Amino acid sequence: MHEFSVMQSMVEMILSMAEAKGAVKVLSVSLRVGELTFLNPEQLRFAFEVLTEGTIAQGASLLIESVKPAVRCRRCGYEGEVDYRGEEVHLPLVVPLSVKCPKCGGDVELIAGRECTLTSIKVKLDE
Ligand SMILES: [Zn+2]
């Protein structure tokens, strides 16, 4: 289960950040997850609950912001969201071949949509 291994490294990062701050509890965690990661938010939540059990992050609320794929065109400079005909792509992820510039049909590079990043974490410092 892909979500589980992604969340495992996330939770490790969260716990070590919280520990470094001397936190007694993690209150909330925010993530940005690109649609092209094909990570299922429900599965991420489930993995988060399981992996934080018995840690100071147990019961923390998890906010998941989903990020639409965006591209930059190498030919005309268009930047923005793009439609993609999605089939699940397995790791390592590549730009699906059906993605072209919506303006000129040129080749594009992906500038958003594959991220899975921790954007903020709120902790409680003392009892
Ligand atoms: Zn273009």
Side-chain angles (χ1 to χ4, degrees):
M1 188 160 114
H2 185 47
E3 284 82 0
F4 218 85
S5 58
V6 169
M7 197 42 94
Q8 187 153 30
S9 42
M10 249 348 147
V11 167
E12 277 166 23
M13 204 194 299
I14 292 161
L15 291 176
S16 70
M17 282 166 71
E19 220 167 272
K21 287 180 198 272
V24 292
K25 190 149 183 48
V26 178
L27 301 173
S28 71
V29 172
S30 306
L31 302 180
R32 279 169 69 85
V33 178
E35 286 184 3
L36 293 177
T37 59
F38 298 100
L39 291 166
N40 179 318
E42 289 314 306
Q43 296 287 340
L44 285 174
R45 276 177 204 289
F46 174 71
F48 182 76
E49 275 173 33
V50 172
L51 290 163
T52 55
E53 215 176 291
T55 72
I56 59 167
Q58 183 171 0
S61 56
L62 179 64
L63 308 165
I64 299 174
E65 185 196 343
S66 118
V67 181
K68 294 224 172 292
V71 296
R72 181 186 297 128
C73 178
R74 294 196 177 102
R75 197 192 291 169
C76 74
Y78 169 86
E79 260 184 44
E81 289 181 7
V82 72
D83 285 330
Y84 62 101
R85 237 138 270 169
E87 276 177 44
E88 186 149 345
V89 187
H90 292 281
L91 290 171
L93 290 170
V94 290
V95 181
L97 292 174
S98 55
V99 175
K100 292 282 177 200
C101 173
K103 273 182 133 176
C104 75
D107 286 335
V108 294
E109 61 179 314
L110 201 58
I111 54 172
R114 278 194 297 183
E115 59 272 78
C116 180
T117 50
L118 193 59
T119 49
S120 80
I121 134 172
K122 277 195 196 128
V123 297
K124 189 177 172 192
L125 290 177
D126 286 309
E127 280 301 274

